[in-house]
């Protein structure tokens, strides 16, 4: 009998310790529910109507981040004809940003769009990472720590914009490669990222995200005919630090319009709430089943009857 | 097929025959009582081993290639499909099939269903090996496999679903090892271990139920991170965890039916009467349980479509594919089980189980790979990646067979 109590106490303390861990966790999530970004978060406003597809931003990024020399030079515009395995080029382990050309039906000239990490306010990659390799800095950058990354690539699954890329080619130093908003070399010193500085057309504007939203709304108000009335990134995926204005419907410029308007973590919270319930209810429930299926104090009366075999998962 | 394990073996070892003071004998414990040369001859005479050798001959160099030159060497290294067939099959497919351990230990230890006892150890072994090999598959697919223990000891992201998966698989693996220790202790003649495990059996079983519920569910919840990438019919953020958990119930039960049927057919010499004579009744009981799981699963899948208002998707091409999956992988085995249980047609139950097992793997591959990025281009796995999967499966088969031959799983160890 003594042993039984010991075991029960042990199990109980195990479960409550584990439960408190997860209960604390969900409480934290609940408070994070209203998180709308850091007050001082920086951002970049991309105005597609101003981009001429010169790829200066790609070149500047490559140099700033010390990425490998591309096969096709940055001044070779034939790259816009090139199609990747999924139709268009995407940021990968050799390029943190790419510019693609689109032919929207409403325009008689191609439209260019720069793609890079949008630096979500509540990043999916960060919330999906089980070793905490991602950090959202107060300046707005989503940075990555290769020293703790295990290489599970859940961040790539989670990112609604499919931005993080994996260095598959390395056996000993694989890692995630993604735009870090030039955090180390520039953003932390309150400098704009290299791509913004390199843009000759002022298609990219760096500043406080709040200011950028005001600027974007101003442009929409002053030139209603020049833009579609939407700021991509204001609400997408719960809001992103990078914002876009477009002269054509965003879908025609290759934007994924299926990205939900709430942070990706919201889709996972239902399950996270189940966890502490299972941890706390199951032990009592199944210990109860155990007691119910046995007559205490009496010898078992009936031998098992195979004919009457009700199944185990209905709980009878 | 009859030849699968039809080795002309001498005497199956079923008791500790040595005198108490003599040393542990390699020949009896590992070589099934055969002399090394006889054992070697038996190995060579078995064509299944030749097939396995052929698979490994190509597969092991491919594995070496992966560890020396990176994942790119054996996969397409797709940035758009971060999880390929190695994880899609090895982790997401194998884990539901390994729910058998907690299901049968619950039936026997919690609900006192002694009639399932002859199969309990097989279900536990099936669970243990399934989980163990899911981790092996993971070690091949992880970018930095040497950091496998990081989420436990180095850096924590406790709000992530994968954090739960990692912790639960790790702890549940320990629980399953503990649950298998009694057979090991009989074989190794260390009765103290068995006595100890018997004392904590109830705790282990309940821990197994909790951990299984949570991480079978968590594997489903992982896909809630990609609500816009997977086809809506295969992802339902509110219900994904219960879909995965519920389907693991019939998947685990069906896997036990499949494995026990194979053992009875091809490894009869190793089974004792307790296992052989009760197997039909047990199979009926398991199939009945699986059919409850299947009908529940079918209904909650429909509930999810109704909840997300996705009826219109059903008339698209993807919708037809979805209906095909539901009919072949859920309704067909459900029909075979219901009819087979009522009329005691064992063939229906056995083939229904095979279909359900393949069906659940199909469902997981549909979620991870086939309907992932459904609006974009499809990923077709590299042949080397497929071969690596088959290689790991072969190693799984060899391990499974090795243990079944030796440990008292489908036979009872004679107590002195």
């Amino acid at each position: 009998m003594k042993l039984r109590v010991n075991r029960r106490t042990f199990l109980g303390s195990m479960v409550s310790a584990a439960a408190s861990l997860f209960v604390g966790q969900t409480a934290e999530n609940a408070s994070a529910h209203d998180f709308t970004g850091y007050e001082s978060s920086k951002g970049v406003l991309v105005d597609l109507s101003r981009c001429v597809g010169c790829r200066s931003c790609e070149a500047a990024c490559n140099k700033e981040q010390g990425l490998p020399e591309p096969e096709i030079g940055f001044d070779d515009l034939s790259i816009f004809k090139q199609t990747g395995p999924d139709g268009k080029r995407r940021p990968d382990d050799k390029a943190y940003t790419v510019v693609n050309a689109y032919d929207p039906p409403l325009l008689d000239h191609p439209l260019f769009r720069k793609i890079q990490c949008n630096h979500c306010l509540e990043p999916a990659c960060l919330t999906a990472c089980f070793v905490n390799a991602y950090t959202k800095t107060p300046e707005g950058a989503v940075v990555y720590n290769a020293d703790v990354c295990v290489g599970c690539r859940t961040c790539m699954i989670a990112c609604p914009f499919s931005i993080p890329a994996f260095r598959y080619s390395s056996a000993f130093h694989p890692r995630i490669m993604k735009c870090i908003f030039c955090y180390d070399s520039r953003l932390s010193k309150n400098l704009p990222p290299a791509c913004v500085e390199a843009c000759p057309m002022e298609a990219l504007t760096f500043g406080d995200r709040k200011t950028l939203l005001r600027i974007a709304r101003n442009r929409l108000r002053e030139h209603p005919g020049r833009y579609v009335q939407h700021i991509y990134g204001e609400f997408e995926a719960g809001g992103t630090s990078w914002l876009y204005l477009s002269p054509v419907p965003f879908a025609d410029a290759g934007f994924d319009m299926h990205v939900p308007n709430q942070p990706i973590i919201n889709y996972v919270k239902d399950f996270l709430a189940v966890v502490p319930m299972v941890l706390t209810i199951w032990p009592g429930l199944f210990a109860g089943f155990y007691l119910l299926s046995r007559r205490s104090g009496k010898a078992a009366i009936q031998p098992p009857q195979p004919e009457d075999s009700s199944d185990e998962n209905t709980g009878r | 097929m009859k030849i699968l394990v039809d080795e002309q073996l001498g005497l199956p070892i079923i008791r500790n025959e040595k005198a108490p003071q003599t040393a542990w004998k390699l020949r009896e414990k590992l070589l099934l009582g055969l002399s090394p040369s006889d054992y070697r001859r038996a190995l060579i005479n078995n064509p299944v081993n030749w097939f396995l050798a052929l698979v490994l001959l190509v597969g092991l160099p491919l594995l070496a290639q992966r560890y020396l030159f990176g994942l790119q060497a054996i996969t397409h290294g797709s940035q758009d499909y971060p999880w390929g067939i190695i994880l899609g099959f090895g982790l997401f497919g194998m884990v539901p099939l390994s729910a058998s351990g907690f299901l049968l230990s619950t039936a026997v230890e919690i609900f006192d269903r002694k009639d399932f006892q002859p199969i309990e150890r097989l279900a536990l072994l099936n669970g243990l090996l399934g989980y163990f090999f899911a981790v092996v598959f993971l070690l091949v697919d992880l970018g930095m496999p040497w950091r496998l223990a990081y989420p436990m000891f180095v850096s924590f992201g406790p709000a992530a679903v994968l954090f739960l998966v990692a912790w639960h698989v790790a702890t549940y693996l320990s629980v399953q090892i503990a649950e298998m220790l009694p057979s090991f202790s009989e074989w190794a003649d260390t009765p103290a271990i068995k006595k100890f495990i018997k004392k904590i059996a109830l705790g282990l079983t309940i821990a197994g139920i909790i951990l299984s519920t949570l991480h079978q569910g968590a594997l489903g919840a992982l896909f809630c991170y990609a609500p816009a990438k997977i086809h809506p019919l295969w992802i339902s953020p509110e219900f994904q965890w219960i879909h995965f958990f519920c389907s693991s119930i019939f998947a685990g039960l069906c896997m036990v039916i499949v494995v026990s049927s194979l053992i009875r057919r091809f490894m009869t010499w190793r089974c004792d009467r307790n296992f052989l004579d009760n197997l039909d009744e047990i199979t009926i009981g398991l199939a009945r349980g699986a059919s409850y799981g299947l009908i529940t699963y079918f209904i909650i899948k429909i509930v999810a479509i109704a909840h997300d208002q996705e009826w219109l998707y059903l008339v698209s091409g993807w919708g037809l594919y979805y209906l095909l999956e539901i009919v072949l992988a859920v309704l067909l085995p459900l029909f075979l089980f219901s009819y087979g249980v009522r009329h005691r047609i064992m063939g229906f139950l056995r083939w229904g189980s095979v279909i359900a097992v393949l069906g659940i793997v199909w469902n997981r591959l549909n979620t991870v790979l086939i309907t992932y990025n459904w609006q974009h281009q499809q990923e077709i796995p590299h042949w080397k990646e497929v071969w690596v999967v088959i290689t790991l499966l072969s190693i799984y088969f060899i391990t499974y067979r090795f243990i079944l031959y030796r440990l008292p799983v489908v036979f009872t160890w004679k107590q002195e």
Side-chain angles (χ1 to χ4, degrees):
Chain A
M1 206 53 211
K2 187 161 186 291
L3 187 120
R4 174 177 278 253
V5 173
N6 282 344
R7 180 173 76 230
R8 199 172 286 163
T9 332
F10 170 73
L11 271 177
S13 60
M14 281 277 286
V15 167
S16 56
S20 64
L21 178 75
F22 292 110
V23 170
Q25 203 49 54
T26 20
E28 212 167 278
N29 286 341
S31 66
H33 190 80
D34 297 326
F35 183 70
T36 48
Y38 287 109
E39 198 62 21
S40 58
S41 178
K42 300 289 180 190
V44 173
L45 175 65
V46 186
D47 191 332
L48 298 192
S49 70
R50 297 182 181 186
C51 179
V52 293
C54 67
R55 301 182 65 214
S56 309
C57 51
E58 282 192 50
C61 174
N62 179 279
K63 187 158 167 265
E64 178 79 20
Q65 296 298 332
L67 296 170
E69 189 99 344
E71 281 170 33
I72 299 174
F74 289 111
D75 47 1
D76 188 345
L77 300 186
S78 73
I79 197 144
F80 294 129
K81 303 272 187 302
Q82 199 187 54
T83 51
D86 206 34
K88 293 278 182 190
R89 291 193 303 151
R90 56 159 285 169
D92 58 21
D93 54 329
K94 296 180 188 72
Y96 287 168
T97 184
V98 298
V99 177
N100 280 337
Y102 299 85
D103 291 305
L106 292 172
L107 292 182
D108 52 4
H109 57 82
L111 182 75
F112 300 97
R113 170 194 165 207
K114 178 184 183 302
I115 307 171
Q116 75 297 308
C117 174
N118 286 327
H119 299 276
C120 303
L121 303 184
E122 219 177 319
C125 52
L126 182 154
T127 48
C129 182
F130 73 150
V131 287
N132 218 7
Y134 287 93
T135 311
K136 174 81 176 172
T137 73
E139 297 89 341
V142 179
V143 296
Y144 160 82
N145 176 8
D147 292 336
V148 296
C149 177
V150 180
C152 71
R153 309 193 290 282
T154 312
C155 49
M156 298 167 69
I157 296 277
C159 176
F161 307 105
S162 300
I163 294 301
F166 193 70
R167 201 197 268 157
Y168 289 103
S169 53
S170 168
F172 302 107
H173 303 286
R175 54 164 290 167
I176 291 288
M177 303 287 278
K178 77 174 264 301
C179 161
I180 53 166
F181 215 145
C182 292
Y183 180 74
D184 302 336
S185 51
R186 291 167 163 271
L187 189 68
S188 55
K189 302 179 183 113
N190 209 18
L191 294 170
C195 53
V196 173
E197 207 166 81
C199 180
M201 300 305 293
E202 293 186 7
L204 308 175
T205 314
F206 171 78
D208 283 352
R209 183 174 186 268
K210 284 178 181 156
T211 316
L212 294 176
L213 276 172
R214 230 173 22 247
I215 295 173
R217 287 203 194 93
N218 265 341
R219 287 189 199 168
L220 292 182
R221 193 168 56 243
E222 285 169 16
H223 310 284
R226 195 189 288 172
Y227 301 104
V228 291
Q229 292 291 315
H230 181 71
I231 306 169
Y232 192 95
E234 184 176 10
F235 300 115
E236 275 78 7
T240 57
S241 291
W242 281 59
L243 305 162
Y244 292 84
L245 291 177
S246 166
V248 298
F250 281 91
D252 292 345
F255 285 84
D256 187 350
M257 300 314 286
H258 294 88
V259 173
N261 274 347
Q262 48 178 330
I264 295 297
I265 186 68
N266 283 9
Y267 291 90
V268 188
K269 283 180 178 170
D270 285 333
F271 172 71
L272 292 177
V274 166
V275 174
M277 292 300 106
V278 169
L279 279 171
T280 46
I281 295 171
W282 262 217
L285 187 67
F286 284 91
F289 284 144
Y290 172 80
L291 294 175
L292 281 172
S293 64
R294 281 162 180 79
R295 289 160 191 268
S296 57
K298 290 177 196 168
I301 291 170
Q302 286 177 328
Q305 292 178 349
E307 278 306 308
D308 184 37
S309 56
S310 57
D311 65 296
E312 57 291 338
N313 64 343
T314 55
R316 281 190 287 143
Chain B
M1 280 302 281
K2 183 74 184 164
I3 208 83
L4 193 64
V5 281
D6 194 18
E7 294 164 30
Q8 289 305 310
L9 293 162
L11 59 159
I13 302 296
I14 54 166
R15 60 164 67 82
N16 296 305
E17 282 172 287
K18 65 185 178 57
Q21 262 72 43
T22 58
W24 193 85
K25 280 195 193 132
L26 183 76
R27 176 175 160 167
E28 284 152 10
K29 295 291 181 177
L30 285 180
L31 301 184
L32 304 164
L34 299 172
S35 70
S37 61
D38 281 345
Y39 187 76
R40 204 178 313 121
R41 203 172 307 125
L43 277 184
I44 291 170
N45 284 342
N46 186 345
V48 174
N49 290 339
W50 285 93
F51 172 76
L52 294 171
L54 182 75
V55 170
L56 295 186
L57 203 64
V58 180
L60 292 180
L62 288 181
L63 276 174
Q65 208 183 354
R66 178 259 171 272
Y67 284 110
L68 289 175
F69 305 108
L71 275 166
Q72 182 99 61
I74 59 160
T75 71
H76 289 311
S78 167
Q79 304 294 358
D80 291 310
Y81 286 86
W83 290 344
I85 197 165
I86 296 179
L87 272 196
F89 176 83
L91 182 72
F92 292 102
M94 293 277 273
V95 167
L97 302 181
S98 313
S100 57
F102 100 87
L103 290 167
L104 267 297
S105 64
T106 305
V108 176
E109 307 294 337
I110 305 281
F111 293 108
D112 205 20
R113 290 296 302 269
K114 298 211 171 61
D115 49 321
F116 285 116
Q117 214 156 30
I119 204 126
E120 189 192 2
R121 280 186 174 179
L122 179 62
L124 288 172
L125 177 67
N126 181 66
L128 172 61
L129 287 178
Y131 276 93
F132 181 77
F133 274 85
V135 176
V136 172
F137 275 98
L138 189 66
L139 282 173
V140 174
D141 191 76
L142 273 187
M144 303 81 152
W146 56 90
R147 291 184 182 170
L148 184 71
Y150 268 35
M152 278 89 194
F153 303 112
V154 178
S155 188
F156 309 109
V161 173
L162 202 61
F163 188 78
L164 300 177
V165 177
W167 271 90
H168 291 162
V169 169
T171 38
Y172 188 42
L173 207 50
S174 328
V175 167
Q176 289 197 307
I177 289 171
E179 288 183 317
M180 271 312 283
L181 276 177
S183 351
F184 176 81
S185 84
E186 286 173 3
W187 173 75
D189 204 13
T190 49
I193 300 180
K194 189 180 169 185
K195 240 179 239 164
F196 173 69
I197 297 293
K198 206 164 186 177
K199 282 178 187 160
I200 59 167
L202 180 64
L204 285 176
T205 304
I206 294 181
I209 306 170
I210 297 170
L211 295 168
S212 294
T213 312
L214 285 178
H215 84 259
Q216 294 283 0
L219 284 182
L222 270 181
F223 294 101
C224 300
Y225 283 116
K229 290 184 182 176
I230 297 166
H231 190 284
L233 287 172
W234 278 269
I235 179 84
S236 179
E238 289 89 348
F239 304 121
Q240 197 74 3
W241 74 272
I242 190 93
H243 283 169
F244 268 55
F245 174 62
C246 183
S247 53
S248 78
I249 290 176
F250 66 80
L253 295 176
C254 291
M255 187 66 178
V256 178
I257 298 181
V258 170
V259 173
S260 62
S261 304
L262 288 174
I263 289 172
R264 181 160 87 160
R265 178 103 191 249
F266 301 109
M267 217 186 276
T268 326
W269 60 271
R270 183 73 284 186
C271 311
D272 65 2
R273 301 268 29 122
N274 182 32
F275 181 82
L276 293 175
D277 295 344
N278 290 311
L279 192 56
D280 277 356
E281 283 309 322
I282 289 173
T283 302
I284 290 173
L286 294 175
R288 198 176 280 170
S291 61
Y292 280 105
L294 280 162
I295 184 77
T296 311
Y297 178 66
F298 174 67
I299 291 169
I300 60 176
K301 288 288 267 190
I302 301 298
V303 167
I305 294 179
H307 180 272
D308 298 343
Q309 299 187 21
E310 285 161 349
W311 299 107
L312 267 183
Y313 280 116
L314 287 178
V315 290
S316 66
W318 282 112
L320 292 178
Y321 184 62
Y322 178 81
L323 291 175
L324 187 72
E325 186 199 305
I326 291 289
V327 170
L328 288 184
V330 183
L331 296 182
L332 178 61
L334 178 60
F335 165 77
L336 289 174
F337 287 158
S338 325
Y339 196 83
V341 167
R342 171 149 299 194
H343 300 275
R344 300 183 66 86
I345 308 171
M346 302 310 291
F348 273 30
L349 305 185
R350 302 217 161 95
W351 284 107
S353 299
V354 173
I355 295 168
V357 163
L358 295 176
I360 214 64
V361 173
W362 185 27
N363 170 264
R364 298 306 193 259
L365 286 178
N366 278 340
T367 314
V368 190
L369 212 52
I370 297 170
T371 76
Y372 186 84
N373 281 346
W374 62 289
Q375 286 153 317
H376 303 281
Q377 199 167 318
Q378 289 304 304
E379 153 91 357
I380 294 159
H382 196 285
W383 72 267
K384 289 182 177 177
E385 197 179 348
V386 178
W387 198 289
V388 163
V389 168
I390 299 172
T391 305
L392 296 175
L393 260 185
S394 303
I395 301 174
Y396 164 77
F397 176 84
I398 293 168
T399 316
Y400 213 141
R401 190 180 62 176
F402 182 87
I403 294 175
L404 282 176
Y405 276 8
R406 288 160 183 84
L407 296 196
V409 175
V410 292
F411 64 95
T412 317
W413 201 262
K414 296 276 182 294
Q415 304 296 335
E416 301 303 314

